[in-house]
Amino acid sequence: MEQKKQISGEAWHSMEDSGIFDKLNVSKGGLSPEEVKSRRENYGENKLPEGKKVTLLEIILHQLLNPLIYILIAAAIASVAIGEAKDAIFIFLVIVINTAIGAYQEYTAEKSATTLQKLLRFKANVRREGKQLSIPSEELVPGDVVLLESGIKVPADIRLIESSGLEMDESLLTGESVSVKKKSGTLAENLGIAERTNMAFAGSTVLYGRGWGVVVSTGLETEVGKISMHVTESESAKPPLVQRMEKFIQQIGILIIVLSLIIGVMLYLQGSGLMDIFFFVVALAVSAIPEGLPVALTVALSIAAKRMAKRNVIVRKLNSVESLGSCTVIASDKTGTLTVNEQTAKRVILPDGSIFNIEGEGYNGDGKVFRENEPEREISFSENRELQKICRIAVCANEASLTKENDKWVHNGDSMDVALLGMSYKFGLNPVSAEEDQADLIPYESERKFSAAFCKNSNIDLKGAVETVLDFCDTMSIDGSPVELDRDLILEQADKLAKQGYRVLAFANRKFPDYEKKKDYKPEDIPTLTFYGLVGFIDPLRKEARGSVEQCKKAGIKVIMITGDHPSTAKTLACELGIANENTKVINGKMLQEANSPNTKAYKDLVASATVFARVSPSQKLEIVDVLIGEGEFVAVTGDGVNDAPALKRANIGVAMGSGTDVAKEVGSMIVVDDNFSSIVAGVEEGRFAYDNVRKVIYLLISTGAAEVILFICSILAGLPLPLLAVQLLWLNLVTNGIQDVALAFEKGEPGAMKRKPRSPAEKIFNPLMVKQTLVSSVTIGIIVFGFWFWLNNYTQMEEFHARNLILLLMVFMQNFHVFNCRSERVSTFKIPLTRNVLLVFGVLIAQGIHVLSMQIPFMQNILRIEPITVSEWFYILLLAVPIILVMELFKLFNVKKDKRANPVEINSRN
């Protein structure tokens, strides 16, 4: 669908109503059919471009687009060219198995990305030529007059002309947890989306009230449309494992080519024929290529994905499994991730300065109340006259409901009103019975900033914004008696709460003997009142959040908060979490805007220095992530709203919340089922375990492959025949190691993984430790096997066929023993309980058993060029393989001592 050009760049929220009508050439009666048709041709339909569904064929092709697969295909073709079809069959079998496993995992996790389009597909009530019509939302055009009422979704970006008690849920765009009060009129030009209270944005929901306005943007020009473009056009950063594997495979490919050329030249200089040289080179390539690596990696990542699922993290793409473990920065959304996304009354302050703290969190009545200076003694509202009044006011001047049904709390209505009902339960007042006192109500509206209830017991109850409520009061209650109102004192108390991140409501009451049972009371009917106290509300932190942030710090991961909420609220929560301290400067969207382009040093310095970002737009969140990635960080981004989607897609790893929008879940690489930040940390741990296991598998396969290359090179230099045939090498790499490396992938995580610093973004898979242990183990295996081959050829009268049979068995034994070395890169083999991976023990026995059994079966004897051996030969060869364990134990001992001197804290955390 092609989106036509629309009016853009206008600050609609700062325009006078008359300017809106003039600019869009429309009247209050709406557009004519002819004008609608003309504008639709000019502006296009009010919908977003549909995302292309990923087919099963595309998923399969995605598995094949792997450099290692290319090398395997080349080796298979070479095998066919020299007449070794059996070798080619083995290789193609590996490719098929790897592709099947990877495709199945991705296909079962992948969903069609269609939710962004659904956001703008519903009915819209419009006024055209003075008549009210209900039309499909995609037929809207700029200039349409749209009628809004509670319960509907906003079909386009609308400039409000009239509103009455209009409140909207814009959390999918702004990330704010409370409803937004809307009003008509003009606003200052330089305001963020969350502050444009005279605009209704596409995709948001009308909670209360009614109003009407003029469509100013449709389709891609809406705020949600701009987010859609960011999601569509931005490219996801490659997962760390993909980046490292691409480098690694490139290096393997180059190494194979270089070795092949060197060996080819050596053989040519020795007088070998070109066909013999070709045979040698193909055999060498087969030994160097880790044919079992794709399958082993896929299995390792699949196992990790299942383990993550048990810890409430669903992986959508296998390559993302390890990404969380690699992240150096977690850029977390606040609402719903670090907090419970449910406003909760937490503090009550009375005019005499008494402070009461309220336990519990969320929309429920579970919790107790304590006086701040008496944290051990529970308080009931009946103990204090002012508390009684506040609770009764909270219940009577209330438009929400909160009840417990079948052991579950059920709520409806404004979040602040629901929170007040929860508070009343905690104080010991049942709102269901108390709310029956309400006889008439002046509902809350953003223009008047209060609500008032006229009660059957001849009281009037009022709650609202502090300054507004104080304007109605001339006295305040202390110890049950009215005294002269100290306005400055109350404002100071309210300001203190606000600076601590609380939203504050004030409460007032008075006997109203002149009350008459009439309707339509007006604000002017309210007499002078007595002030009773303040209540502070906050979207509370999840219980596990602080501990999880602390765990991230120990793991060397920087946690930053990015939210659309108010800076003071963001800072308060960040300080509670340990993300910030009192001296931390909160960076807001305006400051980022003033820093100009994200490419400037000023912008980069601002991002690098901050841990809390507030009042930022979706595009700014994307820019922050871009800057962090550009500075070399591996970034994990969490989020749940449409506003988070661009950053989720751009990040190295996008982590969507399970209760969030489908849009966020579809662009994220992972989904946290329980919305809990602690589950993200659990995912980090599993990701580190996964990477450790990937390294173990790579270490096993590369070291044994390198040993085979050393064996070949030494044999050529010594003028000996090939110690192993190509099909025997494939047997070792695909079957013997193929069983063991899969079993190795089931290895449980080593203790201390979350006390290590993240790997450097520049670190390759073959870091210094991997290089050293691979060299030591491969040289040990290669030299021992070559020595045996040399002795068999020069000091015995054994036939070449039988000698090669023994060499193959020795290599099988070497791999059987060496896999136990690979269980840990630092911890002694003898210190790791076999019970931690019983499957590996069975895998080794099965690998050895299959090989011994194959030596007895004629069919396998023919394929592998092997034959049976005596028990004594089997035993002597087993003893020949033991040194690989002893050598690597000495290597670990030496390496750990060296590491202890360099970093004693990290080493101790592993043990």
Side-chain angles (χ1 to χ4, degrees), residues 127-146:
R127 190 187 299 143
R128 288 179 176 172
E129 285 194 325
K131 298 178 182 179
Q132 184 172 327
L133 306 171
S134 180
I135 64 170
S137 59
E138 56 262 35
E139 295 181 10
L140 285 174
V141 295
D144 257 324
V145 174
V146 175

Side-chain angles (χ1 to χ4, degrees), residues 15 26 72 76 78 96 103 112 115 189 213 216 367 377 395 424 483 486 498 531 534 570 580 632 702 789 818 837 843:
M15 259 187 217
V26 65
L72 289 177
V96 170
S112 57
T115 306
E189 184 173 342
V216 294
R377 190 172 74 86
V395 171
S424 300
V483 299
D486 189 339
F531 175 79
L534 303 172
I702 297 302
W789 179 240
H818 187 45
N837 191 352

